Amino acid sequence: MPVLEIKKYPEPVLKQKALFVENIDGALQELIDDMIDTMYDAPGIGLAAPQVGESRRVIVVHVKLKEEAHPLIVLINPEIIQVDDKVVSEEGCLSVPGYVSNIERAGIVLVKGLDREGRPVEIEAEGLPARALQHEIDHLDGILFVDRMSPIKREFFRKRYLRKLKETA
Ligand code: NI
């Protein structure tokens, strides 16, 4: 299964609101498999379809670290239905290579959506999986973690990032 190219900020697909998935067909299963492979290859703990250029509401999350391992999550049309707690922690993104920032997120989330077979599921998560779910669902609304930084920090990031892009182009 092919590893897909990960789109990098400021590619426009990352700013778009992704479309709801209507048909759970073979092409979607293929996209999901390719997203999982791409996430493992990166390596990363989550990936949203817009990051591989597909503006559709599909995410994969797999927190599988030495210290902490959780099952693979595949969600179609995910929605956060409840949040609790606030946690500030360091975050990065495969679409914004080389940058991390402290971002405030809910500590606990309840997310509903469809699994890859189209069955309705609800997932409660806390800690890193909760953070990853919020980060990936943000991608479906065209929101990057840098959009959640303070305006001053974001402007500083933007200038540095775009300057570096120019230098390496
Ligand atoms: Ni990301």
Side-chain angles (χ1 to χ4, degrees):
M1 256 154 275
V3 166
L4 305 173
E5 185 209 336
I6 296 177
K7 305 289 177 191
K8 308 282 178 359
Y9 173 86
E11 291 211 41
V13 68
L14 295 170
K15 295 305 292 174
Q16 283 169 19
K17 209 170 155 71
L19 295 174
F20 279 90
V21 173
E22 310 267 3
N23 295 315
I24 297 171
D25 54 12
L28 188 78
Q29 299 301 330
E30 210 173 292
L31 172 65
I32 290 168
D33 285 332
D34 291 348
M35 284 173 61
I36 293 168
D37 288 346
T38 305
M39 169 177 67
Y40 290 152
D41 179 72
I45 61 167
L47 198 69
Q51 291 184 276
V52 293
E54 294 284 338
S55 198
R56 287 189 266 175
R57 303 188 82 82
V58 180
I59 62 167
V60 296
V61 168
H62 199 180
V63 176
K64 201 176 151 205
L65 309 172
K66 253 187 242 136
E67 326 78 70
E68 201 184 336
H70 300 270
L72 168 69
I73 299 170
V74 175
L75 280 176
I76 299 165
N77 299 336
E79 236 179 286
I80 294 169
I81 50 175
Q82 242 176 293
V83 297
D84 198 9
D85 231 354
K86 289 255 177 283
V87 182
V88 175
S89 188
E90 201 170 74
E91 210 171 300
C93 178
L94 296 174
S95 294
V96 190
Y99 287 87
V100 291
S101 180
N102 277 326
I103 304 289
E104 185 182 279
R105 299 273 188 191
I108 303 172
V109 291
L110 183 62
V111 177
K112 71 165 188 182
L114 303 174
D115 70 11
R116 63 180 300 170
E117 276 81 42
R119 291 178 297 235
V121 284
E122 276 189 13
I123 294 171
E124 193 186 314
E126 62 176 294
L128 200 48
R131 177 165 295 271
L133 282 166
Q134 292 168 86
H135 177 112
E136 302 313 332
I137 292 171
D138 263 358
H139 272 299
L140 304 181
D141 293 320
I143 299 167
L144 299 176
F145 81 101
V146 294
D147 297 315
R148 296 202 177 274
M149 302 195 299
S150 70
I152 293 170
K153 270 175 82 179
R154 189 167 58 237
E155 199 39 43
F156 186 61
F157 152 78
R158 229 175 50 82
K159 281 195 188 130
R160 270 192 312 165
Y161 186 91
L162 297 177
R163 189 169 55 226
K164 210 169 131 204
L165 267 190
K166 253 190 221 150
E167 280 168 12
T168 52

